[in-house]
Amino acid sequence: MAHRVFLVTGCSTGFGSHLVQEVIDQGDICVATARNPDQLKFNNTSDKEDIEYAFTQALKKFNRVDVVVNNAGYGLAGPFEEVDEQLARTQMDVNFFGLIAVTRKAMSVMREQKPPGGVIQQVTSIGGQTGVPLFSIYCASKWAVEGFTEALSKEVKPEWNIKFTCVEPGGFRTDWAGRSMKFPEKRHPAYDHLDAKEKMGARHGTQAGDPKKGGKAMYQLAVMKDPPLRMVIGSDAYSSIQGKLKDYSELYGRPDMKKLAYSTDVDGWKQPE
C-alpha cells in the first residue's frame, strides 16, 4: 500500500521520538511537532512548530494525513492541597485542551480527504484509568481525555472511517518522571508523609517500560485494520488494569449494589428495546 502519513505531537524526547523513528524505519512518512524543534534529529522528517501549519504542510506535501498521534503532555506531581489553581489549569490546558484542539483539526482533515478516514491516537496513561496518589490533577487530565475520546468515537459516521485509540502507558524510562515533571513550589505541612520529588526521583530510570519498544507498540496499534478504543502498554499497566477490572466486577456484581441502583427508577419504567 501507499506510504502512511503520520502527524505526531510532542516529539522532542520519549515516546514521540521513538515513534517517529519507528515510522521512518517502517518506510512511512512523519510530520513531527515539538516544543523544542532543535531536538528533532530524524532523517527525512519535517519538523513543525505549529499545529495548523503542520497540517497545512502535510496536506500540501502529501495530500492526506492517515494517523495523528496526540503525544504532547507532561506530568504534574504533588499532593492535591499543594497544587494551586494555576498549576492545575496549566496541566489541563496542555494535557486536555491542547489535545482536543489537535483532535478537532485532525477530524476535519480526515473526514474531508479522499478517501476519508484515519486513526487518531491519544496517548493517555494508566493514570487515565486508575487514580494514582500524588497525581490527582494529572489523572484528571487523562481521565478527561479518555471520556472525551470514548464519547467522540460514538459520534462519527462509519463512512468517515475515523478510528480512535487511547494508548495507556505504564511506567517507561523516558524524561516524563525526570526533567519533564513539574512539582508545586511550596510544600504543605500536613503532607510530611508524602514527598513527590523524592518518590519520583527514586523511580526515575527504574521503570519497567522501554520507550523504544513502546514506540513500536504504538506504531503497531496505529496500523491495525480495526484498532481498539483502548490499549495499555507495559506489564505494570496491564497488571493495574486487571486489578481495576476485578474491583469493578466485585463492586458492580454485588446484588445489594444492583438493588440500590434499580431502586431509584420511576415505578413501572422499562428500558427501551
Side-chain angles (χ1 to χ4, degrees):
M1 67 176 286
H3 297 303
R4 297 178 183 84
V5 179
F6 282 66
L7 191 153
V8 184
T9 69
C11 296
S12 297
T13 59
F15 284 126
S17 63
H18 290 293
L19 174 58
V20 171
Q21 193 61 62
E22 180 67 14
V23 170
I24 296 169
D25 291 345
Q26 292 292 337
D28 287 329
I29 297 165
C30 193
V31 177
T33 78
R35 285 177 295 177
N36 186 358
D38 292 339
Q39 292 186 26
L40 290 170
K41 303 181 186 302
F42 307 104
N43 296 326
N44 304 317
T45 301
S46 302
D47 58 334
K48 311 298 178 186
E49 297 182 28
D50 178 79
I51 293 301
E52 279 289 333
Y53 183 68
F55 275 101
T56 299
Q57 292 301 307
L59 293 172
K60 181 179 179 180
K61 293 183 178 181
F62 310 117
N63 298 314
R64 63 182 297 108
V65 176
D66 299 294
V67 181
V68 170
V69 181
N70 266 310
N71 177 64
Y74 71 96
L76 171 65
F80 167 66
E81 289 193 85
E82 292 183 2
V83 178
D84 63 31
E85 183 176 343
Q86 187 56 55
L87 282 174
R89 287 184 178 276
T90 302
Q91 176 81 116
M92 295 300 295
D93 281 344
V94 174
N95 287 9
F96 179 63
F97 288 104
L99 176 142
I100 65 174
V102 175
T103 301
R104 188 186 302 278
K105 181 64 178 180
M107 290 181 68
S108 175
V109 167
M110 291 176 175
R111 186 178 60 250
E112 296 172 6
Q113 62 192 6
K114 304 298 180 185
V119 174
I120 299 176
Q121 199 175 86
Q122 320 282 43
V123 181
T124 64
S125 168
I126 189 58
Q129 288 283 349
T130 62
V132 181
L134 298 175
F135 290 96
S136 57
I137 305 303
Y138 174 80
C139 287
S141 72
K142 296 300 187 178
W143 282 56
V145 173
E146 294 269 347
F148 161 73
T149 303
E150 181 174 327
L152 191 56
S153 71
K154 299 175 181 178
E155 294 180 0
V156 296
K157 291 182 178 179
E159 56 264 36
W160 296 350
N161 195 32
I162 300 174
K163 308 293 185 180
F164 299 87
T165 297
C166 289
V167 181
E168 302 158 346
F172 278 76
R173 298 185 186 186
T174 67
D175 279 339
W176 185 84
R179 291 179 300 169
S180 298
M181 183 149 287
K182 303 298 181 185
F183 302 92
E185 291 185 5
K186 295 181 180 180
R187 295 300 316 273
H188 192 296
Y191 291 89
D192 57 359
H193 62 297
L194 294 174
D195 190 322
K197 284 188 177 181
E198 181 180 331
K199 184 173 182 178
M200 297 315 299
R203 189 184 182 202
H204 183 48
T206 68
Q207 300 95 326
D210 180 331
K212 185 175 182 179
K213 293 179 179 178
K216 288 180 179 293
M218 290 166 65
Y219 178 84
Q220 291 175 33
L221 286 165
V223 301
M224 285 182 180
K225 182 178 180 181
D226 190 19
L229 177 61
R230 291 183 171 89
M231 184 61 202
V232 293
I233 56 174
S235 59
D236 57 342
Y238 189 87
S239 177
S240 182
I241 202 67
Q242 292 299 316
K244 186 65 178 267
L245 291 170
K246 182 175 180 290
D247 290 344
Y248 271 12
S249 179
E250 290 177 353
L251 174 62
Y252 295 115
R254 286 168 48 182
D256 59 328
M257 292 294 100
K258 181 177 180 180
K259 182 179 180 181
L260 180 61
Y262 274 61
S263 72
T264 63
D265 290 350
V266 172
D267 291 346
W269 183 85
K270 293 182 180 179
Q271 292 200 19
E273 293 290 336

